[in-house]
Amino acid sequence: MFRTALRNVLAHKARLLMTVLAVLLGVAFVSGTLVFTNTISDAYQKSSAKGFDQVDVAIRPEHPAPSDDSVGRRPKLTRPLLDKAAGVPGAASAIGVVNGFTAIADKNGKLIGGGFQSQGGNYWSGEDGGEDPRYPLTGGRAPHGADEVAIDAETARRAGYKVGDTLRLSVDGPVLEPVVTGVFTTDDGNVAAGGSLALFDTATAQRLFHSAGSYDEIDVKAAPGTSQAALRKALDEVVPKDVASTTTGRRLADDQAEQISAAMSGMKTGLLVFAGIALFVGTFIIANTFTMLVAQRTRELALLRAVGASRRQVTRSVLIEAFVVGAVAAVGGLAAGIGIGAAMRSLMGTLGATVPDGPLVVSPGTIGTALLVGVLVTMLAAWLPGRRAAKIPPVAAMSSVHAKATTKSLVLRNTIGALFSAAGVAVVLYATTMDGSDGQAPMGLGAVLLIIGVFVLTPLLSRPLIAAAAPALRVFGISGKLARQNSVRNPRRTAATASALMIGLTLITGMTVMAGSLQNAIDKMAGSAIKADYVVTMANGNGLSPDVEKKLAAVDGVTDISSLRNAPSRVDGRTEFLTGVNGAAIGELTDLTVTDGSFAVGGARVVVDADTAESHGWKAGSRFRVSYEDGEKGTLTVAGVYEGNVMIQGIILDDSALAPHRSDARAMQVMVKTAGGASDAAENRLEKALGDNPAIKVQSKQDLSESIAQMFTLMLNMLYGLLAMAVIVAVLGVVNTLAMSVFERSQEIGMLRAIGLDRKGVKRMVRLESLVISLFGGVLGIGLGVFFGWAAGELLGSRMATYELVLPWGRMAVFLLLAATVGVLAALWPARRAARLNMLAAIKSE
């Protein structure tokens, strides 16, 4: 039986090629994802580990848990603690570390790095003014004073800076123009990933990063012969437990590696999901291929049964064929995947995302996963056709009486499909009534059940839906009539072929519906909640210096302005964030719907969003006790309750009441209203007042919407690109099905030629059959996609009042056109093959 299976594989090389390609593409995507993510993760981990070479033990502030009376303010690491740490037995030296966001502009005024990767810190010269061992200088000297800075060598190379140049940078708003006094090398992972690092002297860094006289971390180097564990034990005896905690450098490197792995796992999971979709779609092709191969070899299998082969041996022979096909596809997919992984890494560099140097990582796990996935998917898809072949009675098969689906089996199939579909719809509808994340799991379960149900029901659905195309097909005469009849002749095969395309279009349509509806909701939210002409924020989301509001307030034409500053507090045993605003101007800058009381902010009067008010049982006139960040207590009065949204929510009070109690005066954003409304001239005046700072974004309501739209567009384009893999596999499925169907119907096509159907008519028949099947899958996919997009939107709508369903009719028409194009392209080769059949040879074929 093994030799028989191998001979069958070699005898059907051309027919199995499409199956091999389908599995190969899926395996290539899986192995390419694993190679790419493992390579990037390994490079980052090795790069970050180098950054801890100078750290044997790190002392970090211990964040106490909040209590009813305290928000748990983070303690500071001071110079006395640093001196104490440097003096413990086994310590060679101690360094006080200060860090924070620092945006550097290139010579064209554009931000270097990726915002979050733009960092600043302190160059530690120590008491003797020596070199900082963390940052070896390659040129110049260490910075001294507020007007000097040192930058990393990679940033200097990319931007063309050298010692003696003046550069423009920003920490939290105002533009600074220090002189570059030194260039240094670093193993910092952010720099290796394309970011930048600027170093100031310690006093300047403390002042700029709002930690005057304190440090963010104290790094202690062990003396020769002292282990990290021994040094940590010695430090634990002098470091107050309620102030700071100690961690070894080895543990920090391990934690960093875990964080990098966790960060990469999201990308890996997302890519593997799309690879899984491609493989899932490929199973339809495999099942179709083996079903038709088995049907074409019915007499052969019956003869094997007649000479003594058991049902198990027949099934085993089909599975051996599948094993050989899967193994060949898996090996080819693994090789292609390694190439894809290398190409994706190179592509990141082309797109400007710098990756640390490192070898291409092809782990044993990647090899094992690729081979296992390719073989298992193929064998599982071939198992049912093999089992069905083994059940054919030898006498019936040798008499050419193929075992067609009985009425009982069709009724059972349709019943199961209807039950799954009904259960899926019910679970999805139930999930839409739930709140936010609680409904995600039921929604996913319902979607899976519904897709399975529709797939099982597809043979039943194919007849009425394809029959609806009959009027259009009549235009093509006898070719159109034959195409319609051929497409419903074997509903199961048609269903499996159409389902491959259906799944891809379901995902594409659903995501497009969600993205368009979300964009519309955000546009409405920005328009309805904000009356300000401009919103000013830092490019990386950090806080803005108080100087930003002062400079903007002095600009000609500014009529109203308010910063939004957040500070934690404790209310009724829970942490609540207070938002300090300009009480006199906030009403002119926002347009929030007040459901109770009035939007009056001033003194001890506050306004609260409806969700917070409901959770505490507040209404207009309610009074409550609050414990501020500094430990002081006070009483606030609810003046009004408003409908919050993702842009503005929480407890809003006048900043004059909050300012004495907060530790950070930076604002998360500044809202500005101008006399003439939003205009290019007004925007230019605001930007010039801020020194044309590349780290600060001045955005109108339209800019906000467009920036969000760009994010959705980028996300959708990435998803379209990934889902294109599933569509390509679906195309292979249509080609494979048509090619084998042409072979199966050779005698019939020969008869049609003999009675007068010319070659053009044969080509047209095959092409129309392909077109009908593809459009059938497209209609099902778009219909399911709209349903899932609506359901997911209902779930999101529970948290976004402005959300409403928006159907992208234009894009859905494009998707349907895509399905039609798939059908036309997939039929080119099978149609040409059918038209070139020799009619006499075809008539004599079995």
Side-chain angles (χ1 to χ4, degrees), residues 302-328:
L303 182 61
L304 289 173
R305 290 286 312 283
V307 298
S310 66
R311 287 185 175 184
R312 287 186 178 180
Q313 285 178 312
V314 171
T315 303
R316 196 179 302 135
S317 71
V318 176
L319 290 178
I320 290 171
E321 290 181 50
F323 175 81
V324 174
V325 171
V328 171

Side-chain angles (χ1 to χ4, degrees), residues 9 22 48 117 150 181 256 284 436 439 514 583 671:
V9 171
S48 65
Q117 298 167 338
T181 62
Q256 185 80 5
F284 296 117
M514 282 183 59
M671 304 174 75

Side-chain angles (χ1 to χ4, degrees), residues 291-292 463 485-495 744:
T291 297
M292 287 190 281
R463 290 186 180 276
Q485 292 175 346
N486 288 334
S487 59
V488 296
R489 175 185 295 182
N490 191 331
R492 293 191 179 193
R493 186 188 304 166
T494 298
E744 191 179 68

